[in-house]
Protein backbone atom coordinates (compact mmCIF):
# COMPACT_ATOMS: atom_id res chain seq x y z
CA UNK A 1 0.00 0.00 0.00
CA UNK A 2 1.29 3.41 -0.93
CA UNK A 3 1.22 5.52 2.26
CA UNK A 4 -0.34 8.54 0.57
CA UNK A 5 -3.87 9.79 0.87
CA UNK A 6 -5.90 9.44 -2.32
CA UNK A 7 -7.71 12.64 -3.25
CA UNK A 8 -9.32 11.40 -6.45
CA UNK A 9 -8.95 9.24 -9.54
CA UNK A 10 -8.38 5.50 -9.63
CA UNK A 11 -7.50 3.63 -6.44
CA UNK A 12 -6.15 0.30 -7.62
CA UNK A 13 -3.24 -0.71 -9.77
CA UNK A 14 -2.71 -3.95 -11.64
CA UNK A 15 0.64 -5.41 -12.62
CA UNK A 16 1.04 -8.33 -15.01
CA UNK A 17 3.87 -10.83 -15.22
CA UNK A 18 4.63 -13.81 -17.40
CA UNK A 19 5.67 -17.18 -16.01
CA UNK A 20 5.32 -18.59 -12.53
CA UNK A 21 4.22 -15.97 -10.03
CA UNK A 22 6.08 -15.80 -6.74
CA UNK A 23 5.24 -13.83 -3.61
CA UNK A 24 7.67 -13.75 -0.71
CA UNK A 25 8.52 -11.91 2.49
CA UNK A 26 11.85 -12.08 4.25
CA UNK A 27 13.49 -9.74 6.79
CA UNK A 28 10.58 -7.37 6.27
CA UNK A 29 11.26 -7.16 2.52
CA UNK A 30 8.29 -8.19 0.42
CA UNK A 31 8.68 -9.36 -3.14
CA UNK A 32 6.43 -10.20 -6.06
CA UNK A 33 8.01 -11.72 -9.15
CA UNK A 34 7.37 -13.34 -12.50
CA UNK A 35 9.96 -14.38 -15.08
CA UNK A 36 11.15 -10.92 -16.01
CA UNK A 37 10.34 -8.49 -13.22
CA UNK A 38 10.48 -8.29 -9.46
CA UNK A 39 8.66 -5.72 -7.39
CA UNK A 40 10.08 -5.38 -3.90
CA UNK A 41 9.31 -3.07 -1.03
CA UNK A 42 10.00 -2.44 2.63
CA UNK A 43 9.60 0.32 5.16
CA UNK A 44 11.37 1.69 8.19
CA UNK A 45 9.61 2.53 11.44
CA UNK A 46 8.91 6.21 12.01
CA UNK A 47 11.33 8.61 13.69
CA UNK A 48 14.60 6.92 13.02
CA UNK A 49 17.78 8.65 11.92
CA UNK A 50 16.75 9.14 8.27
CA UNK A 51 20.20 8.82 6.77
CA UNK A 52 21.03 5.60 8.55
CA UNK A 53 17.53 4.14 8.15
CA UNK A 54 17.62 4.83 4.40
CA UNK A 55 21.08 3.34 4.07
CA UNK A 56 20.08 0.13 5.81
CA UNK A 57 16.73 -0.15 4.01
CA UNK A 58 18.38 0.25 0.60
CA UNK A 59 21.05 -2.29 1.56
CA UNK A 60 18.35 -4.86 2.34
CA UNK A 61 16.42 -4.13 -0.85
CA UNK A 62 19.49 -4.21 -3.10
CA UNK A 63 20.72 -7.45 -1.53
CA UNK A 64 17.31 -9.06 -1.92
CA UNK A 65 17.18 -8.18 -5.61
CA UNK A 66 20.74 -9.31 -6.31
CA UNK A 67 20.16 -12.63 -4.53
CA UNK A 68 17.02 -13.20 -6.61
CA UNK A 69 18.84 -12.58 -9.89
CA UNK A 70 17.21 -9.24 -10.62
CA UNK A 71 20.32 -7.16 -11.01
CA UNK A 72 18.80 -4.06 -12.57
CA UNK A 73 16.32 -1.49 -11.32
CA UNK A 74 13.94 0.32 -13.63
CA UNK A 75 12.25 2.60 -11.12
CA UNK A 76 12.10 3.34 -7.41
CA UNK A 77 9.27 5.04 -5.50
CA UNK A 78 10.37 6.67 -2.26
CA UNK A 79 7.75 7.80 0.25
CA UNK A 80 9.32 9.65 3.17
CA UNK A 81 7.33 11.08 6.08
CA UNK A 82 7.89 14.78 6.81
CA UNK A 83 10.26 15.01 3.88
CA UNK A 84 10.80 18.77 4.31
CA UNK A 85 11.41 18.76 8.08
CA UNK A 86 14.85 19.85 9.25
CA UNK A 87 16.95 22.86 8.31
CA UNK A 88 19.67 23.04 5.66
CA UNK A 89 21.63 19.82 5.21
CA UNK A 90 19.67 18.27 8.10
CA UNK A 91 16.48 18.32 6.01
CA UNK A 92 15.06 14.80 5.91
CA UNK A 93 15.04 14.61 2.10
CA UNK A 94 18.74 15.56 1.96
CA UNK A 95 19.57 12.98 4.64
CA UNK A 96 17.60 10.41 2.64
CA UNK A 97 19.68 11.26 -0.46
CA UNK A 98 22.90 10.61 1.48
CA UNK A 99 21.70 7.25 2.81
CA UNK A 100 20.52 6.13 -0.63
CA UNK A 101 23.77 7.26 -2.29
CA UNK A 102 25.89 5.42 0.31
CA UNK A 103 23.99 2.15 -0.15
CA UNK A 104 24.19 2.49 -3.94
CA UNK A 105 27.94 3.24 -3.78
CA UNK A 106 28.40 0.01 -1.87
CA UNK A 107 26.00 -2.36 -3.64
CA UNK A 108 25.08 -0.96 -7.05
CA UNK A 109 27.51 -2.18 -9.72
CA UNK A 110 26.06 -0.24 -12.65
CA UNK A 111 26.89 3.09 -14.25
CA UNK A 112 23.32 4.40 -14.40
CA UNK A 113 20.62 5.49 -11.95
CA UNK A 114 17.08 4.12 -12.17
CA UNK A 115 14.07 6.36 -12.64
CA UNK A 116 12.66 7.61 -9.34
CA UNK A 117 9.92 9.32 -7.44
CA UNK A 118 10.66 11.02 -4.13
CA UNK A 119 7.69 12.40 -2.24
CA UNK A 120 6.62 13.08 1.32
CA UNK A 121 3.97 11.03 3.04
CA UNK A 122 2.06 12.21 6.07
CA UNK A 123 3.57 12.15 9.54
CA UNK A 124 4.24 8.85 11.24
CA UNK A 125 4.86 6.69 8.21
CA UNK A 126 8.66 6.49 8.24
CA UNK A 127 10.20 5.65 4.86
CA UNK A 128 8.71 3.24 2.35
CA UNK A 129 10.69 2.28 -0.74
CA UNK A 130 9.26 0.28 -3.65
CA UNK A 131 11.64 -0.93 -6.37
CA UNK A 132 10.77 -2.39 -9.76
CA UNK A 133 13.66 -4.60 -10.85
CA UNK A 134 14.50 -6.46 -14.04
CA UNK A 135 17.10 -8.86 -15.34
CA UNK A 136 18.22 -6.61 -18.22
CA UNK A 137 19.36 -3.03 -18.21
CA UNK A 138 16.76 -0.32 -18.90
CA UNK A 139 17.41 2.57 -21.27
CA UNK A 140 17.77 5.82 -19.35
CA UNK A 141 16.39 9.13 -20.46
CA UNK A 142 17.26 12.67 -19.38
CA UNK A 143 15.35 15.89 -19.95
CA UNK A 144 17.18 18.60 -21.94
CA UNK A 145 15.10 21.26 -20.13
CA UNK A 146 16.41 20.09 -16.77
CA UNK A 147 19.83 19.50 -15.33
CA UNK A 148 20.25 15.82 -14.52
CA UNK A 149 19.34 15.43 -10.84
CA UNK A 150 22.56 13.50 -10.19
CA UNK A 151 24.45 16.64 -11.32
CA UNK A 152 22.55 19.10 -9.10
CA UNK A 153 24.87 21.65 -7.45
CA UNK A 154 25.79 21.55 -3.76
CA UNK A 155 23.02 23.94 -2.67
CA UNK A 156 20.48 21.10 -2.92
CA UNK A 157 22.35 18.86 -0.52
CA UNK A 158 25.65 17.12 0.25
CA UNK A 159 24.83 14.22 -2.11
CA UNK A 160 22.89 14.72 -5.32
CA UNK A 161 19.79 12.55 -5.85
CA UNK A 162 20.49 9.17 -7.45
CA UNK A 163 17.83 9.01 -10.15
CA UNK A 164 17.37 9.47 -13.91
CA UNK A 165 14.46 11.43 -15.40
CA UNK A 166 12.92 8.35 -17.00
CA UNK A 167 13.67 4.72 -17.85
CA UNK A 168 12.42 2.68 -20.80
CA UNK A 169 12.23 -1.09 -20.84
CA UNK A 170 11.20 -3.62 -23.46
CA UNK A 171 11.88 -4.75 -27.01
CA UNK A 172 12.56 -2.85 -30.23
CA UNK A 173 8.84 -2.79 -30.96
CA UNK A 174 7.22 -2.56 -27.52
CA UNK A 175 8.51 -0.68 -24.51
CA UNK A 176 7.26 0.81 -21.31
CA UNK A 177 8.41 4.25 -20.28
CA UNK A 178 8.68 4.90 -16.55
CA UNK A 179 8.60 8.64 -15.95
CA UNK A 180 10.26 9.87 -12.77
CA UNK A 181 8.55 12.28 -10.43
CA UNK A 182 8.55 15.47 -12.49
CA UNK A 183 8.08 18.92 -11.02
CA UNK A 184 8.37 22.58 -12.05
CA UNK A 185 12.15 22.59 -12.24
CA UNK A 186 14.02 24.05 -15.21
CA UNK A 187 17.79 23.75 -15.22
CA UNK A 188 18.22 23.06 -11.52
CA UNK A 189 15.92 25.80 -10.28
CA UNK A 190 12.35 25.62 -9.02
CA UNK A 191 10.14 27.79 -11.22
CA UNK A 192 7.07 29.95 -10.52
CA UNK A 193 7.30 29.90 -6.74
CA UNK A 194 3.83 30.62 -5.33
CA UNK A 195 2.14 30.40 -8.75
CA UNK A 196 -0.09 27.33 -8.81
CA UNK A 197 -1.10 27.41 -12.48
CA UNK A 198 2.36 28.02 -13.85
CA UNK A 199 3.89 25.29 -11.70
CA UNK A 200 1.44 22.69 -12.96
CA UNK A 201 1.92 23.88 -16.53
CA UNK A 202 5.71 23.65 -16.18
CA UNK A 203 5.47 20.13 -14.75
CA UNK A 204 3.32 19.01 -17.68
CA UNK A 205 5.76 20.63 -20.13
CA UNK A 206 8.58 18.66 -18.52
CA UNK A 207 6.64 15.40 -18.70
CA UNK A 208 5.80 15.98 -22.37
CA UNK A 209 9.44 16.74 -23.10
CA UNK A 210 10.30 13.29 -21.74
CA UNK A 211 7.75 11.72 -24.11
CA UNK A 212 9.46 13.52 -27.01
CA UNK A 213 12.94 12.37 -26.02
CA UNK A 214 11.67 8.81 -25.57
CA UNK A 215 10.13 8.89 -29.07
CA UNK A 216 13.36 10.17 -30.61
CA UNK A 217 15.52 7.66 -28.75
CA UNK A 218 13.35 4.60 -29.32
CA UNK A 219 11.64 5.32 -32.65
CA UNK A 220 8.37 4.35 -30.93
CA UNK A 221 5.24 6.34 -30.23
CA UNK A 222 4.60 7.30 -26.61
CA UNK A 223 0.96 6.40 -26.06
CA UNK A 224 0.56 8.96 -23.29
CA UNK A 225 -2.97 10.10 -24.13
CA UNK A 226 -4.67 6.72 -24.55
CA UNK A 227 -2.56 4.20 -22.62
CA UNK A 228 -0.51 6.02 -19.95
CA UNK A 229 -1.19 5.84 -16.20
CA UNK A 230 -0.23 8.73 -13.95
CA UNK A 231 0.06 9.82 -10.38
CA UNK A 232 -0.42 13.49 -9.71
CA UNK A 233 1.02 14.41 -6.32
CA UNK A 234 -0.44 17.55 -4.74
CA UNK A 235 0.99 19.30 -1.71
CA UNK A 236 -2.34 20.97 -0.92
CA UNK A 237 -5.56 18.90 -1.14
CA UNK A 238 -7.57 22.06 -1.77
CA UNK A 239 -5.82 22.46 -5.14
CA UNK A 240 -7.43 19.27 -6.47
CA UNK A 241 -10.28 20.82 -8.45
CA UNK A 242 -8.09 23.53 -9.89
CA UNK A 243 -5.40 21.04 -10.89
CA UNK A 244 -7.93 18.66 -12.43
CA UNK A 245 -9.52 21.44 -14.50
CA UNK A 246 -6.18 22.74 -15.70
CA UNK A 247 -4.91 19.29 -16.68
CA UNK A 248 -8.12 18.80 -18.66
CA UNK A 249 -7.57 22.16 -20.40
CA UNK A 250 -4.00 21.13 -21.23
CA UNK A 251 -5.24 17.95 -22.90
CA UNK A 252 -3.78 15.72 -20.21
CA UNK A 253 -5.73 12.45 -19.72
CA UNK A 254 -7.20 13.19 -16.27
CA UNK A 255 -9.25 9.99 -16.36
CA UNK A 256 -5.94 8.12 -16.26
CA UNK A 257 -4.60 9.95 -13.20
CA UNK A 258 -4.63 9.08 -9.51
CA UNK A 259 -4.48 12.24 -7.41
CA UNK A 260 -2.49 11.80 -4.22
CA UNK A 261 -1.71 14.08 -1.28
CA UNK A 262 2.06 14.36 -0.91
CA UNK A 263 4.78 16.78 0.05
CA UNK A 264 7.27 17.43 -2.70
CA UNK A 265 10.99 17.22 -1.95
CA UNK A 266 11.53 20.96 -2.27
CA UNK A 267 9.37 23.07 -0.01
CA UNK A 268 8.40 25.54 -2.75
CA UNK A 269 7.13 22.90 -5.16
CA UNK A 270 3.38 22.19 -5.25
CA UNK A 271 3.10 19.33 -7.75
CA UNK A 272 4.91 16.30 -9.00
CA UNK A 273 3.71 13.97 -11.76
CA UNK A 274 4.97 10.51 -12.60
CA UNK A 275 3.65 7.83 -14.88
CA UNK A 276 3.94 4.64 -16.85
CA UNK A 277 3.52 4.96 -20.61
CA UNK A 278 3.56 2.25 -23.28
CA UNK A 279 5.60 2.91 -26.40
CA UNK A 280 4.38 1.15 -29.55
CA UNK A 281 5.28 1.05 -33.23
CA UNK A 282 2.07 2.63 -34.43
CA UNK A 283 -0.39 4.93 -32.73
CA UNK A 284 -3.32 2.57 -33.38
CA UNK A 285 -1.65 -0.18 -31.31
C1 LIG B 1 13.46 16.87 -8.74
O1 LIG B 1 13.28 16.88 -9.96
C2 LIG B 1 12.24 16.71 -7.89
O2 LIG B 1 15.06 11.76 -4.99
O3 LIG B 1 14.29 10.03 -6.07
C3 LIG B 1 11.85 13.77 -8.21
C4 LIG B 1 11.98 12.42 -8.50
C5 LIG B 1 12.52 14.30 -7.12
C6 LIG B 1 12.77 11.60 -7.71
C7 LIG B 1 14.31 11.24 -5.83
C8 LIG B 1 13.32 13.46 -6.34
C9 LIG B 1 13.44 12.12 -6.63
O4 LIG B 1 14.58 17.04 -8.24
C10 LIG B 1 12.40 15.74 -6.79
Amino acid sequence: MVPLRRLGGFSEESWWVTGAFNANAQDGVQTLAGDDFMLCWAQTPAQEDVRDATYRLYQRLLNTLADAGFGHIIKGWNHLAQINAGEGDAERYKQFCIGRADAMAELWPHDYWPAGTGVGSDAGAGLQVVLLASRERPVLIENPRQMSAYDYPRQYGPRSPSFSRAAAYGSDTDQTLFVSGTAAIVGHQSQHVGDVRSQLHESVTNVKQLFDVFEQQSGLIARWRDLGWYRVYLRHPELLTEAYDQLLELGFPVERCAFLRADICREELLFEIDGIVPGTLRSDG
Side-chain angles (χ1 to χ4, degrees):
M1 273 304 268
V2 176
L4 303 175
R5 187 152 59 92
R6 187 178 71 97
L7 302 171
F10 61 82
S11 60
E12 290 187 19
E13 297 184 2
S14 304
W15 295 77
W16 286 267
V17 292
T18 56
F21 176 74
N22 258 297
N24 223 315
Q26 229 171 41
D27 303 325
V29 177
Q30 310 203 59
T31 57
L32 299 174
D35 286 344
D36 302 323
F37 302 99
M38 175 172 269
L39 198 62
C40 86
W41 69 98
Q43 50 268 316
T44 68
Q47 280 150 10
E48 269 189 86
D49 172 327
V50 174
R51 174 181 177 168
D52 190 55
T54 305
Y55 171 65
R56 285 185 288 114
L57 191 71
Y58 260 90
Q59 274 185 324
R60 274 158 65 205
L61 291 165
L62 292 170
N63 281 326
T64 299
L65 293 175
D67 290 349
F70 291 89
H72 290 274
I73 299 174
I74 301 172
K75 162 128 193 195
W77 291 263
N78 303 280
H79 309 120
L80 175 62
Q82 295 168 289
I83 196 167
N84 303 128
E87 289 304 307
D89 288 349
E91 190 193 25
R92 285 166 62 89
Y93 174 65
K94 297 187 178 104
Q95 292 295 309
F96 158 83
C97 283
I98 301 173
R100 175 175 57 180
D102 286 347
M104 297 289 260
E106 198 175 292
L107 295 170
W108 181 247
H110 308 298
D111 62 355
Y112 72 89
W113 301 124
T117 287
V119 291
S121 53
D122 289 326
L127 167 68
Q128 184 202 51
V129 177
V130 182
L131 300 177
L132 175 65
S134 55
R135 297 190 191 277
E136 309 292 334
R137 182 190 171 105
V139 175
L140 291 311
I141 290 166
E142 289 300 309
N143 184 343
R145 303 184 81 241
Q146 299 186 294
M147 179 182 287
S148 295
Y150 47 77
D151 290 331
Y152 280 168
R154 175 64 180 83
Q155 71 195 85
Y156 300 103
R159 298 293 290 273
S160 56
S162 322
F163 74 96
S164 295
R165 296 295 176 191
Y169 196 86
S171 69
D172 288 349
T173 55
D174 269 293
Q175 294 183 22
T176 305
L177 176 68
F178 293 82
V179 177
S180 291
T182 302
I185 295 172
V186 176
H188 59 77
Q189 270 156 340
S190 303
Q191 306 291 307
H192 321 296
V193 176
D195 179 344
V196 174
R197 269 189 86 78
S198 301
Q199 276 209 18
L200 188 56
H201 188 266
E202 198 76 71
S203 305
V204 170
T205 304
N206 276 330
V207 169
K208 286 186 176 169
Q209 178 73 54
L210 288 167
F211 300 154
D212 287 349
V213 176
F214 166 73
E215 291 189 337
Q216 286 156 23
Q217 268 186 229
S218 67
L220 300 175
I221 293 165
R223 303 287 296 272
W224 65 273
R225 282 175 203 276
D226 59 340
L227 297 178
W229 291 107
Y230 307 93
R231 289 183 184 162
V232 179
Y233 303 94
L234 295 90
R235 183 181 287 278
H236 304 300
E238 63 272 21
L239 295 180
L240 176 64
T241 311
E242 212 177 322
Y244 183 97
D245 290 347
Q246 191 185 346
L247 287 171
L248 195 63
E249 262 174 56
L250 291 170
F252 205 79
V254 284
E255 72 285 1
R256 307 187 69 83
C257 296
F259 294 85
L260 303 173
R261 208 316 287 169
D263 293 326
I264 315 302
C265 67
R266 292 185 191 178
E267 211 144 28
E268 67 277 13
L269 294 173
L270 302 171
F271 305 104
E272 192 165 300
I273 302 173
D274 70 7
I276 301 180
V277 179
T280 63
L281 269 182
R282 272 176 281 278
S283 56
D284 59 354

